Amino acid sequence: MKRTAIAAAVLAAIVAGAVWYFRGREEPPQPKAEVVAGIDGYLSGLTSKGFAGAVLLENDGEVLLDKAYGAADRTGGRPVTTATGFDIGSLVKPFTATAILKLESRGKLRRSDSISRFFPSAPPDKTRITVQQLLEHTSGLPDIVDAASKPLGYTQDYDYEPVSRDEMVRRVLNAKLLSAPGEKSRYSNSGYSLLGAIIEIASGEPYEQFVRETIFEPAGMTRTGYLAPGWQRSDLAVGYLRNERWGTPLDHRWLSDGPSWNLRANGGMLSTTADLAKWIHALAGETLLTAAEKKALFDLYVHRNKRGARTMGAAGSNDVFDACYLWYVDENRLLVMLTSSDAWRAEEMIPDLAKRMRRIQRAR
């Protein structure tokens, strides 16, 4: 679920495009096969140091690399494959945002709505919060809150505390605002959990069911979700924290219908590199989003780098698993990476891979 301050800074650099664009430091172009072989060799060499993960790289619609590295489970020696599932953390948030946009298109809500439309018991200081502010992280709500509705620092146990939707809503609505709604940007996982509850109330369906029907199925994503893909432990990468076995997300306590609402709608889904690539392909196409929906989503998540080219970068982590994708919208280039150890973070490795891939693009 969490993105640390360091991770957020890295993501900001990725989105800005500063990770590989340096004026006056142009590197010589290389043949495509040479660049890909260099990336593959680099990642393969890290497996002896405990690196495990999956990587998918595309350029102009061509898959350059789609490969898994290292052990999914060090104990049994089970290898990571391209079908192995990883926790994708905050990469869930764009799915939640898209679901909100779909409900707006269906007339079920407006982004300008006060959250009191869905939570009539919201206290006066929360009635000024809008759905749009939740999407933008400008609601003033804390990142996460405990049972006493106090802001918390993130811990591993928080994600798997068995908290129902109603209890999550109670905690968030009773939490003290850190700033007035709309005044400041403050990253808030609890705000996205509240969006998950709004999705259920407005649609009349469970969150995962609505997201699956409106996003995953149209995009052809069969291996993304909490329970819907039918994950088994043997399908998943085992996470390692400080070189100790942390396990898979299924080794930690979930509710009967999915993870805790501390995690629901803001993180914790399981996916593969191939499915995340399908998500980006769907965004690039015309079948998933209307023009208005695409504009609204891009306004939230797409930025321009130093060259003025549009990029969409997203990263997510629970401090064990780490997931990242970087899509160069105007240059038709995509990098997706999933890792399963705190020693090797996808969002910190993708900038180097992006820089290497840039050499191919400059060779044309």
Side-chain angles (χ1 to χ4, degrees):
M1 171 181 69
K2 290 295 292 178
R3 284 191 320 183
T4 63
I6 293 174
V10 171
L11 180 59
I14 290 173
V15 171
V19 293
W20 49 262
Y21 181 71
F22 301 94
R23 293 186 184 275
R25 294 180 60 185
E26 295 289 321
E27 298 188 25
Q30 293 177 267
K32 178 170 57 181
E34 185 177 319
V35 172
V36 174
I39 292 173
D40 183 32
Y42 163 67
L43 296 174
S44 295
L46 296 179
T47 59
S48 63
K49 301 177 182 179
F51 169 67
V55 179
L56 190 150
L57 307 177
E58 294 183 0
N59 198 48
D60 277 341
E62 177 187 4
V63 176
L64 302 182
L65 185 67
D66 182 10
K67 192 170 178 179
Y69 301 86
D73 186 345
R74 298 175 188 175
T75 303
R78 174 169 57 89
V80 180
T81 73
T82 55
T84 299
F86 290 75
D87 189 314
I88 62 170
S90 288
L91 299 195
V92 172
K93 289 183 175 69
F95 303 151
T96 298
T98 301
I100 288 290
L101 297 175
K102 288 293 183 184
L103 286 167
E104 184 174 47
S105 294
R106 297 178 183 185
K108 299 292 187 179
L109 56 75
R110 294 171 298 181
R111 282 174 287 150
S112 59
D113 284 338
S114 163
I115 64 171
S116 61
R117 173 176 175 179
F118 309 97
F119 311 113
S121 63
D125 65 325
K126 308 297 189 311
T127 58
R128 289 177 53 201
I129 297 174
T130 66
V131 172
Q132 181 68 21
Q133 289 167 348
L134 294 177
L135 290 168
E136 296 175 337
H137 298 283
T138 59
S139 66
L141 290 169
D143 186 9
I144 55 178
V145 293
D146 68 3
S149 304
K150 295 179 180 178
L152 283 175
Y154 174 70
T155 66
Q156 287 288 328
D157 292 342
Y158 178 84
D159 284 351
Y160 299 99
E161 179 192 9
V163 173
S164 68
R165 190 189 86 182
D166 289 348
E167 172 61 12
M168 177 277 296
V169 171
R170 184 196 70 77
R171 293 183 183 187
V172 175
L173 292 184
N174 287 306
K176 182 179 179 180
L177 290 177
L178 301 181
S179 57
E183 182 179 272
K184 294 181 180 180
S185 177
R186 295 178 181 270
Y187 195 79
S188 178
N189 281 289
S190 63
Y192 265 74
S193 286
L194 212 59
L195 286 171
I198 289 172
I199 289 167
E200 293 201 341
I201 293 166
S203 70
E205 297 180 13
Y207 169 82
E208 183 174 14
Q209 179 180 333
F210 186 77
V211 170
R212 187 181 76 250
E213 292 173 352
T214 58
I215 303 171
F216 298 161
E217 289 180 357
M221 300 166 64
T222 60
R223 301 292 284 169
T224 300
Y226 296 124
L227 297 180
W231 297 108
Q232 302 296 315
R233 287 176 174 81
S234 59
D235 299 328
L236 305 176
V238 172
Y240 292 87
L241 179 64
R242 293 182 288 275
N243 213 34
E244 297 291 331
R245 184 188 183 94
W246 181 85
T248 74
L250 297 183
D251 293 319
H252 299 263
R253 186 172 180 180
W254 281 25
L255 303 175
S256 61
D257 62 343
S260 166
W261 272 86
N262 284 346
L263 197 58
R264 198 88 57 102
N266 72 64
M269 276 190 184
L270 309 172
S271 188
T272 66
T273 52
D275 250 35
L276 291 172
K278 290 177 181 178
W279 156 246
I280 298 299
H281 297 162
L283 294 184
E286 305 295 332
T287 58
L288 180 62
L289 301 177
T290 66
E293 291 166 351
K294 182 179 287 192
K295 181 183 184 305
L297 187 70
F298 279 26
D299 284 346
L300 286 171
Y301 289 102
V302 173
H303 305 271
R304 291 190 181 274
N305 63 22
K306 287 188 174 182
R307 294 174 297 102
R310 293 180 299 166
T311 60
M312 180 176 178
S317 176
N318 66 354
D319 293 337
V320 178
F321 291 90
D322 201 87
C324 186
Y325 59 73
L326 177 56
W327 175 31
Y328 293 89
V329 180
D330 296 322
E331 297 164 332
N332 199 15
R333 188 162 64 256
L334 173 65
L335 302 90
V336 184
M337 189 174 193
L338 305 173
T339 57
S340 55
S341 165
D342 63 326
W344 303 99
R345 299 175 67 87
E347 60 198 293
E348 294 176 0
M349 299 173 74
I350 269 192
D352 176 63
L353 304 188
K355 184 179 178 181
R356 292 170 184 249
M357 286 184 69
R358 174 66 175 162
R359 297 170 189 167
I360 299 172
Q361 201 258 357
R362 283 191 291 230
R364 294 175 189 163

